[in-house]
Amino acid sequence: MQRPKDPGSRERDLAGEAYIRQLRATFEKMPHDIPLLLFADRGADNVFAQAARQVIRAFRELSPRITLKEYDLTHELARKHQVTSSPTLIIAPDRYAIRWLGAPMGEEARTFLEIMLLVGAGRSSLSEQAAKVIRRIDSPRRVKVFVSPTCPYCPDQTLNAVKAAIERPDMVSVEIIDIQANPDLASQ
């Protein structure tokens, strides 16, 4: 026996399709490509690496401007970018120093989308006052943001750090660290 369909499901489906179309149009207008490098230990069956691949695959379906290259932790690019944990996602490495240790799951998938929009636009979207403060930085800063898929505060803090890295790529680098994938770093 077939279940009756939820009367609101058609409206939700249509709204979801409209949102996807809007995202595709937004990415199409972006002035910059969004190259992603994923480093993973190919010898291990890592649930976080698999999750990272799934999330990236879903976002890549939105635009050909989002590209992915995957490398093993033993690859020379892993050494060049000083990658030591699996998975590590590096975002637009020729322009910015933004990396994600773990997978953008839960609330962080929305954050990952917003990061890609910022990187594609090539603008920090900081207020003028915040941009003035960031422009006064006169020595390199390495920002580490610890995130959890269920944390309601992490997305905003992550985006603030990424905006600083986009505003001052010469002075600000960001590491977004998923505490579930990296409990050793979280406990330090």
Side-chain angles (χ1 to χ4, degrees):
M1 186 168 175
Q2 195 172 14
R3 285 186 183 175
K5 245 189 158 185
D6 174 8
S9 68
R10 178 159 167 65
E11 288 82 12
R12 283 192 297 276
D13 289 346
L14 291 175
E17 289 172 18
Y19 182 66
I20 296 295
R21 280 194 305 276
Q22 182 181 10
L23 280 174
R24 283 189 174 127
T26 300
F27 277 113
E28 192 175 298
K29 294 175 190 171
M30 294 282 171
H32 301 283
D33 288 339
I34 306 158
L36 305 172
L37 304 180
L38 178 63
F39 295 90
D41 183 359
R42 292 206 177 130
D45 186 24
N46 185 318
V47 67
F48 294 102
Q50 291 173 5
R53 285 184 199 101
Q54 287 177 341
V55 169
I56 294 166
R57 189 178 308 121
F59 286 119
R60 284 182 59 214
E61 290 177 8
L62 295 173
S63 172
R65 303 212 72 162
I66 302 168
T67 59
L68 173 67
K69 292 184 180 175
E70 186 171 344
Y71 301 97
D72 190 79
L73 288 180
T74 60
H75 194 275
E76 67 184 62
L77 283 176
R79 286 188 294 282
K80 175 185 173 189
H81 292 288
Q82 300 174 348
V83 174
T84 58
S85 73
S86 174
T88 296
L89 179 63
I90 299 182
I91 304 166
D94 292 339
R95 296 191 341 246
Y96 306 113
I98 303 169
R99 64 178 58 209
W100 196 303
L101 281 64
M105 302 182 303
E107 288 292 317
E108 300 309 326
R110 178 181 57 85
T111 305
F112 184 62
L113 172 61
E114 291 185 51
I115 290 169
M116 289 192 298
L117 291 169
L118 290 168
V119 168
R123 291 190 315 266
S124 68
S125 298
L126 286 170
S127 69
E128 187 54 39
Q129 183 178 3
K132 281 182 187 178
V133 170
I134 297 298
R135 283 188 224 120
R136 288 198 318 247
I137 294 174
D138 61 0
S139 62
R141 300 291 196 268
R142 187 173 177 192
V143 180
K144 293 183 179 190
V145 182
F146 290 85
V147 299
S148 164
T150 58
C151 173
Y153 307 104
C154 295
D156 289 337
Q157 299 314 311
T158 301
L159 287 173
N160 287 335
V162 168
K163 288 176 180 182
I166 290 172
E167 185 69 30
R168 287 298 306 270
D170 59 327
M171 290 289 166
V172 180
S173 64
V174 175
E175 255 186 358
I176 304 154
I177 303 166
D178 179 339
I179 64 169
Q180 290 182 332
N182 299 280
D184 53 329
L185 293 175
S187 66
Q188 290 180 358

